[in-house]
Amino acid sequence: MTLAPETTRPATALTLQLLLDDDWFTVCELSLLTPGRGVAALLPDGRQAALFTDRAGRTYAIDNRDPFTGAAVLSRGLTGTHQGRPFVSSPLLKQRFDLESGRCLDDEDVRVATYEVRAA
């Protein structure tokens, strides 16, 4: 599922916000995220973010573009943990990306952008 900035929501719903250029951008209702599954969101500048939540209620946002293939697919990857760190693996070539730091667990020279996230 891909969410556009025009997504409507009730005023009382908790929303997920990303910090973009020193300003908080509302992406979607927090209730739209399912633990263990990603959601792609279109950002105002045309980039995409991959949003995730885990069973403990922690939320993460990283760039949706797989740096190895250039495809916007990380939101479709499988999530898991490695040495206590949450990650998503690309559905294409299976490289794993740390959801907190963006670092590729399989190639230390590669990383994806991460976004600061809050529920408001």
Side-chain angles (χ1 to χ4, degrees):
M1 167 180 12
T2 301
L3 300 172
E6 298 82 25
T7 302
T8 59
R9 60 180 164 70
T12 58
L14 267 180
T15 60
L16 185 68
Q17 297 180 331
L18 303 182
L19 186 60
L20 304 175
D21 300 322
D22 299 322
D23 195 23
W24 290 100
F25 174 71
T26 300
V27 179
C28 66
E29 288 182 25
L30 190 56
S31 64
L32 292 175
L33 299 180
T34 302
R37 298 187 140 211
V39 173
L42 182 62
L43 302 179
D45 64 2
R47 290 179 296 158
Q48 292 181 27
L51 312 172
F52 301 92
T53 188
D54 62 18
R55 284 178 171 51
R58 292 179 296 258
T59 54
Y60 309 94
I62 63 172
D63 189 12
N64 195 35
R65 192 179 71 76
D66 179 339
F68 292 95
T69 65
V73 295
L74 292 181
S75 63
R76 297 178 185 180
L78 297 174
T79 59
T81 58
H82 175 71
Q83 297 178 348
R85 305 278 300 183
F87 72 83
V88 61
S89 63
S90 172
L92 298 178
L93 301 177
K94 309 302 184 231
Q95 285 88 357
R96 299 167 298 156
F97 297 92
D98 186 303
L99 290 174
E100 293 175 340
S101 69
R103 184 176 61 87
C104 180
L105 302 177
D106 304 299
D107 184 339
E108 292 183 11
D109 296 330
V110 178
R111 65 183 334 108
V112 294
T114 60
Y115 299 94
E116 189 174 339
V117 181
R118 75 175 183 187

